[in-house]
Amino acid sequence: MELLAFLSFAALVVAWIVAPNTTQAPLSETAVEAHAEAA
Amino acid sequence: MEKIDTGDTAWLLMSAALVMLMTPALGFFYGGLVRRKNVLATIMHSFFILCLISVQWVLWGYSLAFGPDHGGLIGGFDWLALRGVGQAPNPDYAPTVPALGFMVFQMMFAVITPALITGSFAERKRFKAFVVFTLLWATFVYDPVAHWVWGTGGWLRTLGALDFAGGTVVHITSGVSALVAALVLGRRRGYGRDSLEPHDATMTVLGASLLWFGWFGFNAGSAITSGGLAANAFVVTNTAAAMGALTWMTVSWLHRGAPSVLGAAAGAVAGLVAITPASGYVDVSASILIGLGAGAFCYAGIQLTRRLHVDDALDVFGVHGIGGVWGALATGVFATVAVNAAATDGAAYGNFAQLGIQAIAVLAAVTYSAVMTFAILKLIDIFVGLRVPEHEEVLGLDASQHREAAYQI
């Protein structure tokens, strides 16, 4: 079970590394509209 | 007479205070998620329940839940107005603390459980209907199920179901009841059309943080003693919360392209929910897996309820219902006598029977909560009316139900 625990955490760390770079990811339509309304 | 232990008593009373804080914390968690015109009404749901159930519990709730058993189903009226509940310990429940201390600790569980449900019918329920619903639900759902699982002679306790701090009693009952309430009340006006976005995410993260803090009392306090078992519960609680937050945030990052702040907050709560029944029976490795599962399963469950267009406004079923079921079953997998000699080993240690017992407890809690909640809501709808009229929903509950405004800016 200790091995599974380590693997779980490792999987998350890997996911963070391969996840989209948020500064380059396209904004969703909803977020764009929300920002436009707030401006 | 059992000897009172001052360490146990101090920790239990402090834990009661920690759990008390969770109810206003829930008010903030939910309050940030609703629209600005409903924030005060949402916070009032939690604050009012703290007041209402504080009195209901001492008058008859504690007696029904923990009083001398009748048929394995209910406690009866022997302890009405706390008659017979005094400063001497009750050896059946807490041999080293005053009976009043155990009672007030359990009170805070009875308070927060109906408060959890309020998230599902946020922004559309009449205050009067909410008051009557809470009183009836606490008396006819929470008190009996608490007796089944924790009361001396309760049938699920006798069966051997393991629920350290309330996976079935608190989270499954409230989560399933929330789903029923969402279906019976119907969707909010403008659902799927208007923006129903949270008005203050910072309030929600603050609420989640205070819930996390209070949960140390919820789980570690359920050891009833101040020692190794409480320390174990404390550690696995924190670990599962952290894993739940990390997992939900990660899943939302991969699914929607950005790590969600509200998702991290919700994930922490999901992890806390799932570890609740297991916290006195599992070790830290298991708590990492339990938190991981909570983050993933609860996130998936919420996507499903949204796809089915069920307006469980604040995802109570997704977090507490699904998280509670996962936690109760995971207890049947990961429980070990190495952590708690009073427990039974789970499936991971070769005892698959415990998983079956947990499944029976889950089924009983789900079925009873769903049926009773439906009946109570239908009854209230006949005599009081569940929903506010459409113009009051548009105006907002702060103005229509309380004639107050949250903000003057």
Side-chain angles (χ1 to χ4, degrees):
Chain A
M1 203 176 312
E2 288 82 359
L3 179 61
L4 278 177
F6 273 107
L7 289 175
S8 302
F9 187 63
L12 290 177
V13 175
V14 168
W16 301 334
I17 294 169
V18 305
N21 187 330
T22 55
T23 58
Q24 294 171 8
L27 290 174
S28 68
E29 272 188 37
T30 314
V32 169
E33 286 165 7
H35 279 282
E37 279 170 23
Chain B
M1 189 176 100
E2 300 280 353
K3 190 175 183 311
I4 288 177
D5 184 296
T6 54
D8 291 348
T9 302
W11 173 234
L12 193 67
L13 291 177
M14 189 62 233
S15 293
L18 285 169
V19 182
M20 174 267 173
L21 183 65
M22 291 172 69
T23 294
L26 184 71
F28 280 112
F29 181 79
Y30 283 164
L33 292 173
V34 299
R35 287 166 289 176
R36 177 185 164 131
K37 62 185 180 180
N38 296 312
V39 61
L40 213 55
T42 303
I43 289 174
M44 179 59 167
H45 283 160
S46 291
F47 194 82
F48 180 83
I49 286 177
L50 174 60
C51 305
L52 180 71
I53 304 303
S54 285
V55 180
Q56 182 266 5
W57 189 249
V58 298
L59 286 181
W60 68 83
Y62 183 62
S63 186
L64 290 179
F66 289 92
D69 177 67
H70 296 271
L73 297 177
I74 197 70
F77 297 116
D78 295 62
W79 294 347
L80 281 188
L82 300 186
R83 189 175 50 207
V85 179
Q87 297 179 30
N90 180 326
D92 291 332
Y93 294 124
T96 58
V97 303
L100 282 170
F102 180 78
M103 180 280 304
V104 79
F105 177 66
Q106 289 298 334
M107 174 194 290
M108 303 308 171
F109 287 66
V111 164
I112 194 161
T113 305
L116 294 170
I117 304 172
T118 64
S120 74
F121 54 71
E123 305 197 295
R124 57 206 192 279
K125 194 171 186 179
R126 264 184 219 270
F127 186 75
K128 188 186 293 188
F130 149 73
V131 169
V132 177
F133 171 78
T134 301
L135 206 52
L136 293 176
W137 194 91
T139 303
F140 292 105
V141 182
Y142 182 82
D143 295 343
V145 177
H147 185 79
W148 298 353
V149 178
W150 291 329
T152 308
W155 72 277
L156 285 173
R157 175 173 160 162
T158 303
L159 190 66
L162 297 176
D163 187 351
F164 193 71
T168 49
V169 180
V170 174
H171 299 295
I172 292 181
T173 59
S174 61
V176 168
S177 299
L179 179 63
V180 171
L183 291 169
V184 172
L185 263 83
R187 302 184 195 109
R188 284 167 290 176
R189 191 184 172 283
Y191 177 86
R193 197 178 60 242
D194 302 340
S195 170
L196 303 178
E197 295 299 303
H199 89 284
D200 186 354
T202 66
M203 188 186 289
T204 295
V205 177
L206 173 69
S209 304
L210 292 172
L211 280 169
W212 187 330
F213 175 72
W215 227 295
F216 293 131
F218 203 92
N219 289 355
S222 291
I224 311 296
T225 53
S226 178
L229 188 58
N232 185 86
F234 202 113
V235 168
V236 301
T237 295
N238 192 67
T239 309
M243 274 303 285
L246 293 176
T247 303
W248 191 309
M249 181 206 77
T250 305
V251 173
S252 74
W253 196 345
L254 298 175
H255 185 222
R256 296 198 180 277
S260 168
V261 176
L262 290 179
V269 176
L272 289 162
V273 168
I275 196 65
T276 295
S279 50
Y281 306 120
V282 304
D283 62 18
V284 75
S285 293
S287 71
I288 286 177
L289 300 176
I290 290 172
L292 179 83
F297 297 145
C298 294
Y299 182 91
I302 285 167
Q303 303 311 309
L304 181 62
T305 53
R306 289 192 184 153
R307 199 160 290 204
L308 295 173
H309 303 295
V310 176
D311 190 12
D312 174 1
L314 308 182
D315 299 323
V316 182
F317 175 72
V319 174
H320 296 274
I322 292 177
V325 170
W326 161 237
L329 296 177
T331 303
V333 175
F334 298 115
T336 169
V337 296
V339 167
N340 188 340
T344 315
D345 281 344
Y349 299 90
N351 178 23
F352 287 85
Q354 188 59 42
L355 188 54
I357 293 172
Q358 298 301 110
I360 292 172
V362 166
L363 198 60
V366 168
T367 308
Y368 183 76
S369 302
V371 170
M372 289 301 293
T373 298
F374 182 80
I376 291 171
L377 286 169
K378 284 301 185 184
L379 191 69
I380 293 172
D381 207 15
I382 292 170
F383 291 103
V384 177
L386 285 171
R387 278 186 82 140
V388 295
E390 189 175 321
H391 70 276
E392 288 188 11
E393 189 172 336
V394 171
L395 181 64
L397 300 186
D398 294 3
S400 70
Q401 302 300 293
H402 303 288
R403 298 188 191 171
E404 289 175 298
Y407 310 111
Q408 296 299 331
I409 48 173

